[in-house]
Amino acid sequence: MTNPSTKVSTKVLDKKYNFKIEYKLIKNKDLLKSRLSEIPKSSGCYLFKDIDNNLLYIGKSKTLRNRVSSYFNNYAELSPRLSLMVRQITEIEIIVTDSEYEALNLESNLIKTNKPYFNILLKDDKKYPYLCITWSEQYPRIFITRKRRNRNNFDRYYGPYVDVGLLRKTLFIIKKIFPLRQRPRPVYKDRTCLNYSIGRCPGVCQEIISSEDYKKTMKQVSMIFQGRNDDLEVFLERKMNQYSNDLEFENAAKVRDQISGLKLLTESQKISIPDSSINRDIFGIVSENNISSIQIFQMRSGKLIGRIGYTQKIDNCDEAEILQRVLEEHYINVEGVEIPSEILLQFNLPKHNTIEEWLSELRQKKVKLIIPKRNKKFETVEMVLKNAKLELERILNGIQDNESAIEDLTQILELTNQPRRIEGYDISHIQGTDPVASQVVFIDGIPSKQNYRKYKIKDPNIFIGHSDDFASIYEVIYRRFKKWSKFKIDGGDISSLQDKKKSTLENDLLTDWPDLIMIDGGKGQLNAALKALTQLDLHEEVNICSLAKKNEEIFIPGFSKSLDTDQNQKGLLLLRRVRDEAHRFALSFHRNKRSTRMNRSQLSQIPGLGPSRIKDLLEHFNSIDAIRIASREELSKVKGLGMHSANDIYNYFNEL
């Protein structure tokens, strides 16, 4: 296999045609045509970049020109995700390879290294957790999280795991078997805590164990989540025998206990399936109503040790194409030793032989893609498909419930269109102290957390001992919709929003206009919000209501009394979910703001610390507790803080 080489780079076109990079290709037909004509018809990878030279997407193709051109030629037929990506493309880079297999291998490496935003195909439904090991830290942590973030390229995620209870139990047992770091920050600054005394922690806080030795322990732990329990058991047995031969019986006893605990863990987490001892993964996909459910069962030594689940919307693809892409992106994110020798599928993939060759290269051993027709392997695939079908039914039922709730809410409020995007607002404070507001967004009945917003109330008439929820609601709604008023002044027509979407895809109107506003409160809060909208001349353009907590009453403009509703109506239950989420989000923000103020208040008592240095301290240490236990040397490393100020801070907390 030859190394891929860069044969075409569209960067050259910038000089040739004297175009500036800020021109987006979808808007400049001449530049787009020129760049597409420079792309060869050979196999390779294509890289889409935005105006800031950030990678948007990395893909591969057997015929590069045809594949890249399809994004722009069929632009109107693309999914919202891809159309959003295409609108941001300002540059295309091409890497030509000698074969489709090389393109697949190169794509895998590029995605692993760069993690482009639009390459994320696999979607879990937020209920599935991951297990993270922070290899980027000197003493790595291990924890369960539901948010897979690109913290650092060295950090490693395992999952998502379907059975969160089993995952928590597994981690609990692991922390009993192996001495691991128990806390993100030490309890005491100059001594170990109880975890060290009982053997649960190796003394990470005082660096009693070196970083290298601790990472060796973490590598053993990671083998469990790679499905390599048997390999780990063999390794520990060798280590125990070596200690025994060297007459280090105390260390040998510790390893013996680890082996016993590992066997207990293995038995508790495995489901026995009669089969051979070959390691294998089993993939299954079931689709309905443009949604696919994909399940991956991980079998090691004839035992089922893990189950991974994904859901994916179908974008003009058949099941074989989706399953192939899921398989590719799944194994891009694992280490070679985690790839089993057999992968069972329900049907052939479009690039069956290429995928098989690619996986063998990653594993450094032969990998077979098998489509069983009978016997135990076939029954195992059927079991995976059954689980995928059950998961799909759960997803579709949730979608159907949300659709029913939205339809019911439309009837309750007598709306002309269904409220697909609902925004909820709430105020939080303690007698006027630290007043804040929240904006939560539900799209199709599902929380859209990336669209949540937080507001600090700026009204000078709201202060400690004097609160005014009506004034706060007025301020928040006015600030939220002020830009829309400017849009109307410039000649826009809010009522024809759908037409505006079609004509200007890049306009904020595409995603930012709510179908319904819900205010947490009664008639007074509703009138305050309506006053802001009226002042902005938007009161006739937006649907608005309020939900009072006491009797769960719905108020709408023009009616002095609440609407007649049943407490168990689906539409009302949806509004309550929005209201409760707005309340939770506002309360959380208020607590954080109050905590920050109290921390600043305590730090402001230290001579020589002004607002700027207090801000730098909190940004560096994240909490007052971390500052309290920091050493003089650690404090002096804060930006703008010298050793003299560090001594003042250290002495202040240690004299308390």
Side-chain angles (χ1 to χ4, degrees), residues 56 71 92 169 175-176 208 256 271-272 277 320 409 424 428 440 446 470 513 537 581 586 601 622 627:
L56 297 171
Y71 286 97
I92 306 169
K169 181 179 178 181
K175 287 187 174 182
K176 291 181 67 176
I208 295 175
R256 178 202 61 198
I271 301 173
S272 180
S277 60
L409 184 59
S428 183
V440 300
I446 300 172
F470 299 156
W513 180 256
D537 193 23
E581 179 66 0
S601 176
N622 297 323
I627 299 174

mmCIF file with all atom_site columns, all heavy atoms in Angstrom, residues 56 71 92 169 175-176 208 256 271-272 277 320 409 424 428 440 446 470 513 537 581 586 601 622 627:
data_model
loop_
_atom_site.group_PDB
_atom_site.id
_atom_site.type_symbol
_atom_site.label_atom_id
_atom_site.label_alt_id
_atom_site.label_comp_id
_atom_site.label_asym_id
_atom_site.label_entity_id
_atom_site.label_seq_id
_atom_site.pdbx_PDB_ins_code
_atom_site.Cartn_x
_atom_site.Cartn_y
_atom_site.Cartn_z
_atom_site.occupancy
_atom_site.B_iso_or_equiv
_atom_site.pdbx_formal_charge
_atom_site.auth_seq_id
_atom_site.auth_comp_id
_atom_site.auth_asym_id
_atom_site.auth_atom_id
_atom_site.pdbx_PDB_model_num
ATOM 1   N N   . LEU A 1 56  ? -14.990 21.479  8.632  1.00 0.00 ? 56  LEU A N   1
ATOM 2   C CA  . LEU A 1 56  ? -16.405 21.210  8.830  1.00 0.00 ? 56  LEU A CA  1
ATOM 3   C C   . LEU A 1 56  ? -16.729 19.738  8.667  1.00 0.00 ? 56  LEU A C   1
ATOM 4   O O   . LEU A 1 56  ? -17.514 19.168  9.417  1.00 0.00 ? 56  LEU A O   1
ATOM 5   C CB  . LEU A 1 56  ? -17.240 22.013  7.822  1.00 0.00 ? 56  LEU A CB  1
ATOM 6   C CG  . LEU A 1 56  ? -17.160 23.531  7.914  1.00 0.00 ? 56  LEU A CG  1
ATOM 7   C CD1 . LEU A 1 56  ? -17.865 24.155  6.717  1.00 0.00 ? 56  LEU A CD1 1
ATOM 8   C CD2 . LEU A 1 56  ? -17.786 24.016  9.205  1.00 0.00 ? 56  LEU A CD2 1
ATOM 9   N N   . TYR A 1 71  ? -22.997 17.619  -3.373 1.00 0.00 ? 71  TYR A N   1
ATOM 10  C CA  . TYR A 1 71  ? -23.411 18.474  -2.265 1.00 0.00 ? 71  TYR A CA  1
ATOM 11  C C   . TYR A 1 71  ? -24.001 19.791  -2.774 1.00 0.00 ? 71  TYR A C   1
ATOM 12  O O   . TYR A 1 71  ? -24.928 20.338  -2.182 1.00 0.00 ? 71  TYR A O   1
ATOM 13  C CB  . TYR A 1 71  ? -22.223 18.789  -1.351 1.00 0.00 ? 71  TYR A CB  1
ATOM 14  C CG  . TYR A 1 71  ? -21.786 17.638  -0.481 1.00 0.00 ? 71  TYR A CG  1
ATOM 15  C CD1 . TYR A 1 71  ? -20.735 16.817  -0.855 1.00 0.00 ? 71  TYR A CD1 1
ATOM 16  C CD2 . TYR A 1 71  ? -22.415 17.376  0.723  1.00 0.00 ? 71  TYR A CD2 1
ATOM 17  C CE1 . TYR A 1 71  ? -20.323 15.767  -0.061 1.00 0.00 ? 71  TYR A CE1 1
ATOM 18  C CE2 . TYR A 1 71  ? -22.013 16.323  1.535  1.00 0.00 ? 71  TYR A CE2 1
ATOM 19  C CZ  . TYR A 1 71  ? -20.962 15.521  1.131  1.00 0.00 ? 71  TYR A CZ  1
ATOM 20  O OH  . TYR A 1 71  ? -20.563 14.484  1.912  1.00 0.00 ? 71  TYR A OH  1
ATOM 21  N N   . ILE A 1 92  ? -12.389 23.909  -0.307 1.00 0.00 ? 92  ILE A N   1
ATOM 22  C CA  . ILE A 1 92  ? -12.395 22.450  -0.429 1.00 0.00 ? 92  ILE A CA  1
ATOM 23  C C   . ILE A 1 92  ? -10.961 21.996  -0.668 1.00 0.00 ? 92  ILE A C   1
ATOM 24  O O   . ILE A 1 92  ? -10.291 22.498  -1.575 1.00 0.00 ? 92  ILE A O   1
ATOM 25  C CB  . ILE A 1 92  ? -13.269 21.984  -1.610 1.00 0.00 ? 92  ILE A CB  1
ATOM 26  C CG1 . ILE A 1 92  ? -14.675 22.561  -1.501 1.00 0.00 ? 92  ILE A CG1 1
ATOM 27  C CG2 . ILE A 1 92  ? -13.315 20.462  -1.677 1.00 0.00 ? 92  ILE A CG2 1
ATOM 28  C CD1 . ILE A 1 92  ? -15.506 22.353  -2.760 1.00 0.00 ? 92  ILE A CD1 1
ATOM 29  N N   . LYS A 1 169 ? -22.695 -0.194  38.456 1.00 0.00 ? 169 LYS A N   1
ATOM 30  C CA  . LYS A 1 169 ? -22.268 -1.309  39.300 1.00 0.00 ? 169 LYS A CA  1
ATOM 31  C C   . LYS A 1 169 ? -20.855 -1.746  38.928 1.00 0.00 ? 169 LYS A C   1
ATOM 32  O O   . LYS A 1 169 ? -20.024 -2.035  39.808 1.00 0.00 ? 169 LYS A O   1
ATOM 33  C CB  . LYS A 1 169 ? -23.249 -2.474  39.130 1.00 0.00 ? 169 LYS A CB  1
ATOM 34  C CG  . LYS A 1 169 ? -22.916 -3.686  39.989 1.00 0.00 ? 169 LYS A CG  1
ATOM 35  C CD  . LYS A 1 169 ? -23.941 -4.796  39.776 1.00 0.00 ? 169 LYS A CD  1
ATOM 36  C CE  . LYS A 1 169 ? -23.586 -6.035  40.604 1.00 0.00 ? 169 LYS A CE  1
ATOM 37  N NZ  . LYS A 1 169 ? -24.560 -7.139  40.380 1.00 0.00 ? 169 LYS A NZ  1
ATOM 38  N N   . LYS A 1 175 ? -13.670 0.216   41.338 1.00 0.00 ? 175 LYS A N   1
ATOM 39  C CA  . LYS A 1 175 ? -13.037 1.091   42.321 1.00 0.00 ? 175 LYS A CA  1
ATOM 40  C C   . LYS A 1 175 ? -12.752 0.367   43.633 1.00 0.00 ? 175 LYS A C   1
ATOM 41  O O   . LYS A 1 175 ? -11.981 0.859   44.462 1.00 0.00 ? 175 LYS A O   1
ATOM 42  C CB  . LYS A 1 175 ? -13.915 2.319   42.565 1.00 0.00 ? 175 LYS A CB  1
ATOM 43  C CG  . LYS A 1 175 ? -13.886 3.307   41.401 1.00 0.00 ? 175 LYS A CG  1
ATOM 44  C CD  . LYS A 1 175 ? -14.620 4.599   41.729 1.00 0.00 ? 175 LYS A CD  1
ATOM 45  C CE  . LYS A 1 175 ? -14.450 5.616   40.617 1.00 0.00 ? 175 LYS A CE  1
ATOM 46  N NZ  . LYS A 1 175 ? -15.111 6.905   40.916 1.00 0.00 ? 175 LYS A NZ  1
ATOM 47  N N   . LYS A 1 176 ? -13.395 -0.783  43.835 1.00 0.00 ? 176 LYS A N   1
ATOM 48  C CA  . LYS A 1 176 ? -13.063 -1.610  44.993 1.00 0.00 ? 176 LYS A CA  1
ATOM 49  C C   . LYS A 1 176 ? -11.887 -2.529  44.686 1.00 0.00 ? 176 LYS A C   1
ATOM 50  O O   . LYS A 1 176 ? -11.103 -2.868  45.571 1.00 0.00 ? 176 LYS A O   1
ATOM 51  C CB  . LYS A 1 176 ? -14.280 -2.441  45.403 1.00 0.00 ? 176 LYS A CB  1
ATOM 52  C CG  . LYS A 1 176 ? -15.432 -1.619  45.995 1.00 0.00 ? 176 LYS A CG  1
ATOM 53  C CD  . LYS A 1 176 ? -16.601 -2.491  46.414 1.00 0.00 ? 176 LYS A CD  1
ATOM 54  C CE  . LYS A 1 176 ? -16.240 -3.376  47.588 1.00 0.00 ? 176 LYS A CE  1
ATOM 55  N NZ  . LYS A 1 176 ? -17.409 -4.163  48.065 1.00 0.00 ? 176 LYS A NZ  1
ATOM 56  N N   . ILE A 1 208 ? 1.884   10.463  46.171 1.00 0.00 ? 208 ILE A N   1
ATOM 57  C CA  . ILE A 1 208 ? 2.610   9.335   46.763 1.00 0.00 ? 208 ILE A CA  1
ATOM 58  C C   . ILE A 1 208 ? 2.937   8.311   45.686 1.00 0.00 ? 208 ILE A C   1
ATOM 59  O O   . ILE A 1 208 ? 3.984   7.662   45.721 1.00 0.00 ? 208 ILE A O   1
ATOM 60  C CB  . ILE A 1 208 ? 1.762   8.710   47.891 1.00 0.00 ? 208 ILE A CB  1
ATOM 61  C CG1 . ILE A 1 208 ? 1.594   9.727   49.032 1.00 0.00 ? 208 ILE A CG1 1
ATOM 62  C CG2 . ILE A 1 208 ? 2.396   7.425   48.408 1.00 0.00 ? 208 ILE A CG2 1
ATOM 63  C CD1 . ILE A 1 208 ? 0.680   9.258   50.134 1.00 0.00 ? 208 ILE A CD1 1
ATOM 64  N N   . ARG A 1 256 ? -3.823  -11.103 44.014 1.00 0.00 ? 256 ARG A N   1
ATOM 65  C CA  . ARG A 1 256 ? -4.778  -12.221 44.125 1.00 0.00 ? 256 ARG A CA  1
ATOM 66  C C   . ARG A 1 256 ? -6.189  -11.703 44.380 1.00 0.00 ? 256 ARG A C   1
ATOM 67  O O   . ARG A 1 256 ? -7.161  -12.175 43.785 1.00 0.00 ? 256 ARG A O   1
ATOM 68  C CB  . ARG A 1 256 ? -4.337  -13.138 45.265 1.00 0.00 ? 256 ARG A CB  1
ATOM 69  C CG  . ARG A 1 256 ? -5.279  -14.322 45.513 1.00 0.00 ? 256 ARG A CG  1
ATOM 70  C CD  . ARG A 1 256 ? -5.096  -14.842 46.915 1.00 0.00 ? 256 ARG A CD  1
ATOM 71  N NE  . ARG A 1 256 ? -5.415  -13.793 47.899 1.00 0.00 ? 256 ARG A NE  1
ATOM 72  C CZ  . ARG A 1 256 ? -5.019  -13.829 49.169 1.00 0.00 ? 256 ARG A CZ  1
ATOM 73  N NH1 . ARG A 1 256 ? -4.283  -14.820 49.621 1.00 0.00 ? 256 ARG A NH1 1
ATOM 74  N NH2 . ARG A 1 256 ? -5.359  -12.840 50.001 1.00 0.00 ? 256 ARG A NH2 1
ATOM 75  N N   . ILE A 1 271 ? -23.721 -12.073 30.384 1.00 0.00 ? 271 ILE A N   1
ATOM 76  C CA  . ILE A 1 271 ? -24.859 -12.938 30.124 1.00 0.00 ? 271 ILE A CA  1
ATOM 77  C C   . ILE A 1 271 ? -24.351 -14.073 29.247 1.00 0.00 ? 271 ILE A C   1
ATOM 78  O O   . ILE A 1 271 ? -23.862 -13.852 28.153 1.00 0.00 ? 271 ILE A O   1
ATOM 79  C CB  . ILE A 1 271 ? -25.986 -12.178 29.404 1.00 0.00 ? 271 ILE A CB  1
ATOM 80  C CG1 . ILE A 1 271 ? -26.435 -10.993 30.249 1.00 0.00 ? 271 ILE A CG1 1
ATOM 81  C CG2 . ILE A 1 271 ? -27.147 -13.085 29.089 1.00 0.00 ? 271 ILE A CG2 1
ATOM 82  C CD1 . ILE A 1 271 ? -27.420 -10.085 29.547 1.00 0.00 ? 271 ILE A CD1 1
ATOM 83  N N   . SER A 1 272 ? -24.454 -15.275 29.727 1.00 0.00 ? 272 SER A N   1
ATOM 84  C CA  . SER A 1 272 ? -23.880 -16.412 29.013 1.00 0.00 ? 272 SER A CA  1
ATOM 85  C C   . SER A 1 272 ? -24.739 -16.787 27.812 1.00 0.00 ? 272 SER A C   1
ATOM 86  O O   . SER A 1 272 ? -25.954 -16.912 27.924 1.00 0.00 ? 272 SER A O   1
ATOM 87  C CB  . SER A 1 272 ? -23.746 -17.610 29.951 1.00 0.00 ? 272 SER A CB  1
ATOM 88  O OG  . SER A 1 272 ? -23.190 -18.709 29.264 1.00 0.00 ? 272 SER A OG  1
ATOM 89  N N   . SER A 1 277 ? -15.692 -19.592 21.648 1.00 0.00 ? 277 SER A N   1
ATOM 90  C CA  . SER A 1 277 ? -14.945 -18.633 22.454 1.00 0.00 ? 277 SER A CA  1
ATOM 91  C C   . SER A 1 277 ? -14.422 -17.467 21.618 1.00 0.00 ? 277 SER A C   1
ATOM 92  O O   . SER A 1 277 ? -13.635 -16.664 22.108 1.00 0.00 ? 277 SER A O   1
ATOM 93  C CB  . SER A 1 277 ? -13.764 -19.342 23.131 1.00 0.00 ? 277 SER A CB  1
ATOM 94  O OG  . SER A 1 277 ? -12.909 -19.899 22.147 1.00 0.00 ? 277 SER A OG  1
ATOM 95  N N   . ALA A 1 320 ? -28.420 -0.555  4.357  1.00 0.00 ? 320 ALA A N   1
ATOM 96  C CA  . ALA A 1 320 ? -27.051 -1.058  4.196  1.00 0.00 ? 320 ALA A CA  1
ATOM 97  C C   . ALA A 1 320 ? -26.038 0.080   4.255  1.00 0.00 ? 320 ALA A C   1
ATOM 98  O O   . ALA A 1 320 ? -24.970 -0.044  4.871  1.00 0.00 ? 320 ALA A O   1
ATOM 99  C CB  . ALA A 1 320 ? -26.925 -1.822  2.880  1.00 0.00 ? 320 ALA A CB  1
ATOM 100 N N   . LEU A 1 409 ? -52.159 20.865  22.466 1.00 0.00 ? 409 LEU A N   1
ATOM 101 C CA  . LEU A 1 409 ? -51.861 22.235  22.875 1.00 0.00 ? 409 LEU A CA  1
ATOM 102 C C   . LEU A 1 409 ? -52.353 23.229  21.825 1.00 0.00 ? 409 LEU A C   1
ATOM 103 O O   . LEU A 1 409 ? -52.827 24.321  22.167 1.00 0.00 ? 409 LEU A O   1
ATOM 104 C CB  . LEU A 1 409 ? -50.351 22.388  23.101 1.00 0.00 ? 409 LEU A CB  1
ATOM 105 C CG  . LEU A 1 409 ? -49.869 23.741  23.630 1.00 0.00 ? 409 LEU A CG  1
ATOM 106 C CD1 . LEU A 1 409 ? -50.523 24.067  24.963 1.00 0.00 ? 409 LEU A CD1 1
ATOM 107 C CD2 . LEU A 1 409 ? -48.346 23.757  23.756 1.00 0.00 ? 409 LEU A CD2 1
ATOM 108 N N   . GLY A 1 424 ? -39.806 28.872  26.941 1.00 0.00 ? 424 GLY A N   1
ATOM 109 C CA  . GLY A 1 424 ? -40.303 29.072  28.292 1.00 0.00 ? 424 GLY A CA  1
ATOM 110 C C   . GLY A 1 424 ? -39.408 30.021  29.069 1.00 0.00 ? 424 GLY A C   1
ATOM 111 O O   . GLY A 1 424 ? -38.174 29.952  28.953 1.00 0.00 ? 424 GLY A O   1
ATOM 112 N N   . SER A 1 428 ? -35.788 34.056  38.730 1.00 0.00 ? 428 SER A N   1
ATOM 113 C CA  . SER A 1 428 ? -35.337 33.476  39.996 1.00 0.00 ? 428 SER A CA  1
ATOM 114 C C   . SER A 1 428 ? -34.540 34.515  40.774 1.00 0.00 ? 428 SER A C   1
ATOM 115 O O   . SER A 1 428 ? -33.687 35.213  40.209 1.00 0.00 ? 428 SER A O   1
ATOM 116 C CB  . SER A 1 428 ? -34.486 32.226  39.748 1.00 0.00 ? 428 SER A CB  1
ATOM 117 O OG  . SER A 1 428 ? -34.099 31.632  40.969 1.00 0.00 ? 428 SER A OG  1
ATOM 118 N N   . VAL A 1 440 ? -35.738 28.631  28.087 1.00 0.00 ? 440 VAL A N   1
ATOM 119 C CA  . VAL A 1 440 ? -35.541 27.259  27.622 1.00 0.00 ? 440 VAL A CA  1
ATOM 120 C C   . VAL A 1 440 ? -36.320 27.079  26.328 1.00 0.00 ? 440 VAL A C   1
ATOM 121 O O   . VAL A 1 440 ? -37.295 27.786  26.068 1.00 0.00 ? 440 VAL A O   1
ATOM 122 C CB  . VAL A 1 440 ? -35.992 26.213  28.670 1.00 0.00 ? 440 VAL A CB  1
ATOM 123 C CG1 . VAL A 1 440 ? -35.199 26.370  29.955 1.00 0.00 ? 440 VAL A CG1 1
ATOM 124 C CG2 . VAL A 1 440 ? -37.483 26.326  28.952 1.00 0.00 ? 440 VAL A CG2 1
ATOM 125 N N   . ILE A 1 446 ? -39.249 18.261  22.608 1.00 0.00 ? 446 ILE A N   1
ATOM 126 C CA  . ILE A 1 446 ? -37.998 17.761  23.184 1.00 0.00 ? 446 ILE A CA  1
ATOM 127 C C   . ILE A 1 446 ? -37.112 18.945  23.560 1.00 0.00 ? 446 ILE A C   1
ATOM 128 O O   . ILE A 1 446 ? -36.957 19.876  22.760 1.00 0.00 ? 446 ILE A O   1
ATOM 129 C CB  . ILE A 1 446 ? -37.261 16.845  22.193 1.00 0.00 ? 446 ILE A CB  1
ATOM 130 C CG1 . ILE A 1 446 ? -38.144 15.645  21.832 1.00 0.00 ? 446 ILE A CG1 1
ATOM 131 C CG2 . ILE A 1 446 ? -35.930 16.365  22.762 1.00 0.00 ? 446 ILE A CG2 1
ATOM 132 C CD1 . ILE A 1 446 ? -37.571 14.788  20.722 1.00 0.00 ? 446 ILE A CD1 1
ATOM 133 N N   . PHE A 1 470 ? -42.676 41.339  37.544 1.00 0.00 ? 470 PHE A N   1
ATOM 134 C CA  . PHE A 1 470 ? -43.279 41.885  36.336 1.00 0.00 ? 470 PHE A CA  1
ATOM 135 C C   . PHE A 1 470 ? -42.252 42.685  35.535 1.00 0.00 ? 470 PHE A C   1
ATOM 136 O O   . PHE A 1 470 ? -42.143 42.542  34.312 1.00 0.00 ? 470 PHE A O   1
ATOM 137 C CB  . PHE A 1 470 ? -44.477 42.780  36.690 1.00 0.00 ? 470 PHE A CB  1
ATOM 138 C CG  . PHE A 1 470 ? -45.579 42.057  37.420 1.00 0.00 ? 470 PHE A CG  1
ATOM 139 C CD1 . PHE A 1 470 ? -46.454 42.746  38.230 1.00 0.00 ? 470 PHE A CD1 1
ATOM 140 C CD2 . PHE A 1 470 ? -45.726 40.678  37.312 1.00 0.00 ? 470 PHE A CD2 1
ATOM 141 C CE1 . PHE A 1 470 ? -47.473 42.092  38.915 1.00 0.00 ? 470 PHE A CE1 1
ATOM 142 C CE2 . PHE A 1 470 ? -46.734 40.009  37.994 1.00 0.00 ? 470 PHE A CE2 1
ATOM 143 C CZ  . PHE A 1 470 ? -47.609 40.707  38.796 1.00 0.00 ? 470 PHE A CZ  1
ATOM 144 N N   . TRP A 1 513 ? -37.162 31.985  15.604 1.00 0.00 ? 513 TRP A N   1
ATOM 145 C CA  . TRP A 1 513 ? -38.491 32.533  15.868 1.00 0.00 ? 513 TRP A CA  1
ATOM 146 C C   . TRP A 1 513 ? -39.360 31.488  16.559 1.00 0.00 ? 513 TRP A C   1
ATOM 147 O O   . TRP A 1 513 ? -39.542 30.392  16.054 1.00 0.00 ? 513 TRP A O   1
ATOM 148 C CB  . TRP A 1 513 ? -39.152 32.986  14.569 1.00 0.00 ? 513 TRP A CB  1
ATOM 149 C CG  . TRP A 1 513 ? -40.516 33.565  14.778 1.00 0.00 ? 513 TRP A CG  1
ATOM 150 C CD1 . TRP A 1 513 ? -41.701 32.973  14.511 1.00 0.00 ? 513 TRP A CD1 1
ATOM 151 C CD2 . TRP A 1 513 ? -40.824 34.850  15.317 1.00 0.00 ? 513 TRP A CD2 1
ATOM 152 N NE1 . TRP A 1 513 ? -42.736 33.803  14.841 1.00 0.00 ? 513 TRP A NE1 1
ATOM 153 C CE2 . TRP A 1 513 ? -42.234 34.969  15.350 1.00 0.00 ? 513 TRP A CE2 1
ATOM 154 C CE3 . TRP A 1 513 ? -40.045 35.910  15.793 1.00 0.00 ? 513 TRP A CE3 1
ATOM 155 C CZ2 . TRP A 1 513 ? -42.877 36.099  15.826 1.00 0.00 ? 513 TRP A CZ2 1
ATOM 156 C CZ3 . TRP A 1 513 ? -40.686 37.040  16.264 1.00 0.00 ? 513 TRP A CZ3 1
ATOM 157 C CH2 . TRP A 1 513 ? -42.088 37.132  16.275 1.00 0.00 ? 513 TRP A CH2 1
ATOM 158 N N   . ASP A 1 537 ? -43.912 46.266  18.822 1.00 0.00 ? 537 ASP A N   1
ATOM 159 C CA  . ASP A 1 537 ? -44.851 46.055  17.719 1.00 0.00 ? 537 ASP A CA  1
ATOM 160 C C   . ASP A 1 537 ? -44.804 44.609  17.217 1.00 0.00 ? 537 ASP A C   1
ATOM 161 O O   . ASP A 1 537 ? -44.890 44.337  16.017 1.00 0.00 ? 537 ASP A O   1
ATOM 162 C CB  . ASP A 1 537 ? -44.552 47.020  16.566 1.00 0.00 ? 537 ASP A CB  1
ATOM 163 C CG  . ASP A 1 537 ? -45.693 47.061  15.549 1.00 0.00 ? 537 ASP A CG  1
ATOM 164 O OD1 . ASP A 1 537 ? -46.835 46.720  15.934 1.00 0.00 ? 537 ASP A OD1 1
ATOM 165 O OD2 . ASP A 1 537 ? -45.439 47.408  14.380 1.00 0.00 ? 537 ASP A OD2 1
ATOM 166 N N   . GLU A 1 581 ? -38.868 22.957  33.435 1.00 0.00 ? 581 GLU A N   1
ATOM 167 C CA  . GLU A 1 581 ? -37.492 23.052  32.940 1.00 0.00 ? 581 GLU A CA  1
ATOM 168 C C   . GLU A 1 581 ? -36.993 24.490  33.028 1.00 0.00 ? 581 GLU A C   1
ATOM 169 O O   . GLU A 1 581 ? -35.834 24.733  33.389 1.00 0.00 ? 581 GLU A O   1
ATOM 170 C CB  . GLU A 1 581 ? -37.412 22.545  31.501 1.00 0.00 ? 581 GLU A CB  1
ATOM 171 C CG  . GLU A 1 581 ? -36.037 22.622  30.866 1.00 0.00 ? 581 GLU A CG  1
ATOM 172 C CD  . GLU A 1 581 ? -34.999 21.705  31.493 1.00 0.00 ? 581 GLU A CD  1
ATOM 173 O OE1 . GLU A 1 581 ? -35.327 20.982  32.454 1.00 0.00 ? 581 GLU A OE1 1
ATOM 174 O OE2 . GLU A 1 581 ? -33.852 21.712  31.014 1.00 0.00 ? 581 GLU A OE2 1
ATOM 175 N N   . ALA A 1 586 ? -33.468 28.342  35.627 1.00 0.00 ? 586 ALA A N   1
ATOM 176 C CA  . ALA A 1 586 ? -33.324 29.642  36.290 1.00 0.00 ? 586 ALA A CA  1
ATOM 177 C C   . ALA A 1 586 ? -32.764 29.480  37.698 1.00 0.00 ? 586 ALA A C   1
ATOM 178 O O   . ALA A 1 586 ? -31.889 30.239  38.128 1.00 0.00 ? 586 ALA A O   1
ATOM 179 C CB  . ALA A 1 586 ? -34.682 30.356  36.334 1.00 0.00 ? 586 ALA A CB  1
ATOM 180 N N   . SER A 1 601 ? -17.230 38.117  47.468 1.00 0.00 ? 601 SER A N   1
ATOM 181 C CA  . SER A 1 601 ? -17.340 38.903  48.694 1.00 0.00 ? 601 SER A CA  1
ATOM 182 C C   . SER A 1 601 ? -16.269 38.492  49.691 1.00 0.00 ? 601 SER A C   1
ATOM 183 O O   . SER A 1 601 ? -15.647 39.333  50.341 1.00 0.00 ? 601 SER A O   1
ATOM 184 C CB  . SER A 1 601 ? -18.736 38.730  49.296 1.00 0.00 ? 601 SER A CB  1
ATOM 185 O OG  . SER A 1 601 ? -18.834 39.411  50.524 1.00 0.00 ? 601 SER A OG  1
ATOM 186 N N   . ASN A 1 622 ? -11.585 27.873  39.757 1.00 0.00 ? 622 ASN A N   1
ATOM 187 C CA  . ASN A 1 622 ? -12.986 27.455  39.591 1.00 0.00 ? 622 ASN A CA  1
ATOM 188 C C   . ASN A 1 622 ? -13.834 27.545  40.853 1.00 0.00 ? 622 ASN A C   1
ATOM 189 O O   . ASN A 1 622 ? -15.059 27.599  40.769 1.00 0.00 ? 622 ASN A O   1
ATOM 190 C CB  . ASN A 1 622 ? -13.096 26.025  39.038 1.00 0.00 ? 622 ASN A CB  1
ATOM 191 C CG  . ASN A 1 622 ? -12.506 25.917  37.652 1.00 0.00 ? 622 ASN A CG  1
ATOM 192 O OD1 . ASN A 1 622 ? -12.640 26.836  36.848 1.00 0.00 ? 622 ASN A OD1 1
ATOM 193 N ND2 . ASN A 1 622 ? -11.847 24.807  37.380 1.00 0.00 ? 622 ASN A ND2 1
ATOM 194 N N   . ILE A 1 627 ? -9.138  27.545  46.005 1.00 0.00 ? 627 ILE A N   1
ATOM 195 C CA  . ILE A 1 627 ? -8.229  28.632  46.395 1.00 0.00 ? 627 ILE A CA  1
ATOM 196 C C   . ILE A 1 627 ? -7.791  28.450  47.839 1.00 0.00 ? 627 ILE A C   1
ATOM 197 O O   . ILE A 1 627 ? -6.626  28.673  48.192 1.00 0.00 ? 627 ILE A O   1
ATOM 198 C CB  . ILE A 1 627 ? -8.924  29.999  46.205 1.00 0.00 ? 627 ILE A CB  1
ATOM 199 C CG1 . ILE A 1 627 ? -9.291  30.212  44.733 1.00 0.00 ? 627 ILE A CG1 1
ATOM 200 C CG2 . ILE A 1 627 ? -8.038  31.139  46.706 1.00 0.00 ? 627 ILE A CG2 1
ATOM 201 C CD1 . ILE A 1 627 ? -10.103 31.463  44.478 1.00 0.00 ? 627 ILE A CD1 1
#
